[in-house]
Amino acid sequence: MSLTLMRKTLLLVLVLSLGISPLAFSEEPAVQPPAALSSMTFLDCYEKVLAHYPALKKRYEQLEQAKAGRNMAIADLFPHVRGVASMTTTTDPVGVFGMLLQQNKFTQGDFALNELNDPHHRTDYRLGLEGEMLLFDSFNTISKIRTARRLVKSADLEADFTEMEAGIVALESYLGILLAKEVLAVTA
């Protein structure tokens, strides 16, 4: 006898014993099941299981991560533009001399011997835009996109499988509720 079948049998015996024992020892007539149990349909039970099934939430998160990875792989096909900024401050004579020349700020006074050997600090600010565009990368980007699409498909199928698993759990729970109601009705 498998462990699952033993568990189901034990659960059925437990439900029956808990359902029968209060009725067998009471002198009052049996009460009917609450209206909430009798009005619950399988669809209601299924929706509740889907809303609270933790494995399904995890699968949906994995699916969203796979979709984000696919979008990142596709983005590699497009040009990238970014801003660059730098600031350099130096008192090195060669660095100061070069900065003065680049900035067109070189004056006659900068040729003084003590200014050449021991200059005041100089700061150079650089701002710019830098762009990249993919021309050819031995089909690496295309391979990344294909892999990412397959990961999305895999995550989608895993989510579908987990939804089916949740449906089986909902069906088993719903049938257990119906069985408990029937047992209660028979014992009453």
Side-chain angles (χ1 to χ4, degrees):
M1 189 177 227
S2 72
L3 186 62
T4 308
L5 187 57
M6 286 178 26
R7 283 184 182 166
K8 288 182 181 179
T9 307
L10 183 61
L11 179 65
L12 179 62
V13 169
L14 184 63
V15 166
L16 287 175
S17 65
L18 289 176
I20 293 173
S21 62
L23 297 175
F25 298 113
S26 70
E27 296 176 8
E28 299 175 6
V31 290
Q32 293 298 323
L37 286 179
S38 62
S39 67
M40 183 179 235
T41 64
F42 172 70
L43 188 58
D44 296 334
C45 187
Y46 180 70
E47 288 174 355
K48 284 185 179 185
V49 168
L50 284 183
H52 301 290
Y53 201 65
L56 190 58
K57 291 178 182 179
K58 180 181 175 185
R59 294 293 183 202
Y60 285 150
E61 289 173 5
Q62 289 173 346
L63 178 60
E64 291 303 315
Q65 288 175 355
K67 286 180 181 179
R70 178 199 58 201
N71 292 342
M72 292 293 290
I74 291 172
D76 285 342
L77 291 174
F78 299 106
H80 301 283
V81 178
R82 62 181 157 258
V84 250
S86 68
M87 180 186 90
T88 308
T89 301
T90 185
T91 58
D92 178 45
V94 175
V96 171
F97 188 79
M99 283 183 197
L100 287 171
L101 286 175
Q102 284 178 344
Q103 296 172 359
N104 293 326
K105 304 272 178 143
F106 205 79
T107 63
Q108 184 69 27
D110 292 323
F111 277 117
L113 193 56
N114 45 337
E115 279 294 319
L116 282 174
N117 291 331
D118 189 25
H120 298 290
H121 75 279
R122 188 76 184 168
T123 303
D124 187 28
Y125 299 99
R126 292 186 184 256
L127 301 172
L129 290 175
E130 189 175 276
E132 291 180 359
M133 183 173 172
L134 179 67
L135 295 178
F136 182 73
D137 67 348
S138 302
F139 300 106
N140 286 337
T141 303
I142 299 299
S143 296
K144 286 179 191 175
I145 292 170
R146 287 180 183 157
T147 302
R149 285 183 178 157
R150 289 183 182 121
L151 286 174
V152 168
K153 182 67 173 171
S154 172
D156 190 33
L157 291 173
E158 286 178 5
D160 288 345
F161 177 77
T162 307
E163 280 182 18
M164 287 188 277
E165 180 184 7
I168 291 171
V169 168
L171 180 62
E172 187 177 359
S173 300
Y174 185 71
L175 291 177
I177 291 170
L178 290 180
L179 178 64
K181 282 178 18 181
E182 286 300 316
V183 167
L184 184 62
V186 167
T187 55

